[in-house]
Amino acid sequence: MKLTALRRRLDLTTPFRVSFGEISGMDVVAVALEGGGVVGRGEACPMPMFGHTAEAVQNELALIAPDIESGAVDRLELQTRLSAGPARNALDCAFWDHEAKRTGRSIWELTGLTAPAHLASDVTIGIETPEESARLAATHRHAGMIKLKLGGPDDMACVRAVRAVLPTTRLFVDVNGGWTLEQLNALAPELAALDVFMIEQPLPRGQDEQLDGYTGPVPLCADESCQDRADLDRLESRYAYVNIKLDKTGGLTEALALAREAEARGMRLMVGCMMGSGLAMAPAYLVGTLCEVVDLDVSLLLKNPADAAVRHDGRRLSLFDRAVWG
């Protein structure tokens, strides 16, 4: 087995604003595992807000490469050799892809999941002025669900502007840890009145215990606060949903385990992503088959259409081809 890890840049068509800054593109790391006449692939998107960089991911993969190439580490052993995060994600997904190609079985057969032809997915609107939020909402009248990023200076005005344009579209908001508990308690009733069904990550990561003082009527979702199953004891009494992202869980293996454990605890499921090409969206699509909320619209933001590979028509994702992954 030969392991390679290459870094490349994915640019967005326009900058995308969230509570912690503006994103115009990201470096991703693509992994290839070559052996037995086939190549398995995976991709990671390191996020600086989690302390990850593309260079660090490549270094982490370089350290484990000798054991991968000698056969001392397989996909299951990998779960204990690398911590949850983007390096393990890219390698874990490459192992899955390699096994599918080596055995001639699809990823759906290997995981025991059903392969739907489409998945309903949201469309995200970044932090904008109320006027720009309304304009963008008008371009998504056919969307089945909108995610609105908050944590800016005009949060409620933006929500009201979107709701005025899209009075019946399912709507939830994502704060990316940009509020205080006082803001959350003050704004949640107003959001409920605007038929917002969920608030994603209202407080910064590491402040989950403050949510014991949450008094609002809108269910909460843990994103940055939820990495893998080890977090569930801390989260289950404070959040109704968990947002599962492969770059947080460290790959498809833990993502599927997290989904099943969270559901067994009565929590509701969402799948999301950092940035990534179709190579990253394909394994996330599998997780999406288990989830109530699918937030995999990054292909709509990518500057180069060739990077998308998993098609999003503004309302739903289409099943990826095996040439892409799995």
Side-chain angles (χ1 to χ4, degrees):
M1 193 87 80
K2 179 183 178 182
L3 169 64
T4 58
L6 301 177
R7 175 171 56 182
R8 68 188 186 101
R9 178 79 173 178
L10 294 181
D11 291 314
L12 302 184
T13 53
T14 58
F16 187 77
R17 284 174 287 277
V18 297
S19 64
F20 55 82
E22 183 175 279
I23 301 171
S24 59
M26 294 289 295
D27 286 340
V28 299
V29 177
V31 164
L33 276 178
E34 183 176 1
V38 297
V39 179
R41 301 188 303 146
E43 183 182 275
C45 180
M47 291 292 287
M49 68 175 296
F50 289 105
H52 299 142
T53 66
E55 182 180 9
V57 166
Q58 288 181 297
N59 290 340
E60 193 172 357
L61 292 169
L63 288 174
I64 200 171
D67 287 341
I68 298 290
E69 294 176 347
S70 71
V73 173
D74 60 10
R75 179 175 60 82
L76 296 181
E77 175 68 16
L78 177 67
Q79 309 308 309
T80 60
R81 288 290 300 272
L82 291 185
S83 60
R88 196 178 79 189
N89 173 35
L91 193 48
D92 180 81
C93 290
F95 268 119
W96 279 107
D97 189 37
H98 189 275
E99 183 179 353
K101 290 172 178 173
R102 177 178 55 80
T103 62
R105 302 169 67 195
S106 75
I107 191 66
W108 302 98
E109 292 177 272
L110 293 178
T111 58
L113 297 172
T114 301
H118 301 94
L119 279 183
S121 175
D122 67 1
V123 176
T124 305
I125 297 175
I127 294 176
E128 302 287 353
T129 65
E131 295 75 20
E132 181 64 6
S133 296
R135 187 192 71 79
L136 289 170
T139 68
H140 300 306
R141 292 186 186 276
H142 64 301
M145 181 167 52
I146 294 289
K147 177 167 88 166
L148 181 62
K149 293 283 191 177
L150 299 184
D154 300 304
D155 282 347
M156 288 310 305
C158 289
V159 180
R160 286 190 288 269
V162 169
R163 184 49 89 203
V165 175
L166 302 174
T168 61
T169 303
R170 293 191 76 206
L171 175 64
F172 71 103
V173 299
D174 181 8
V175 190
N176 290 113
W179 286 350
T180 64
L181 178 62
E182 291 71 25
Q183 286 176 292
L184 174 60
N185 282 332
L187 297 179
E190 296 183 53
L191 293 172
L194 292 165
D195 200 22
V196 170
F197 74 86
M198 182 252 279
I199 302 169
E200 186 180 350
Q201 196 65 40
L203 306 187
R205 182 167 51 119
Q207 296 184 15
D208 305 296
E209 70 284 350
Q210 292 191 31
L211 293 174
D212 294 341
Y214 175 54
T215 59
V218 183
L220 306 180
C221 176
D223 178 6
E224 287 87 348
S225 289
C226 181
Q227 183 169 23
D228 57 21
R229 284 173 290 172
D231 294 315
L232 291 178
D233 284 344
R234 175 172 47 83
L235 302 176
E236 66 175 318
S237 66
R238 293 163 175 150
Y239 295 91
Y241 294 80
V242 291
N243 186 349
I244 302 169
K245 295 179 179 177
L246 275 72
D247 278 312
K248 293 188 300 177
T249 65
L252 180 62
T253 302
E254 175 61 23
L256 294 176
L258 171 59
R260 289 167 177 140
E261 174 64 20
E263 187 173 44
R265 293 175 181 237
M267 302 184 80
R268 300 161 79 173
L269 305 181
M270 172 179 175
V271 64
C273 58
M274 305 305 183
M275 276 187 59
S277 71
L279 183 56
M281 296 307 108
Y285 191 107
L286 272 81
V287 181
T289 65
L290 303 175
C291 295
E292 174 185 337
V293 178
V294 175
D295 176 28
L296 299 176
D297 64 332
V298 71
S299 63
L300 298 175
L301 307 174
L302 294 176
K303 186 174 184 178
N304 184 356
D307 287 327
V310 179
R311 183 172 176 268
H312 193 307
D313 65 5
R315 188 178 181 91
R316 61 185 187 173
L317 289 165
S318 295
L319 179 63
F320 57 91
D321 188 88
R322 288 192 70 180
V324 175
W325 188 80

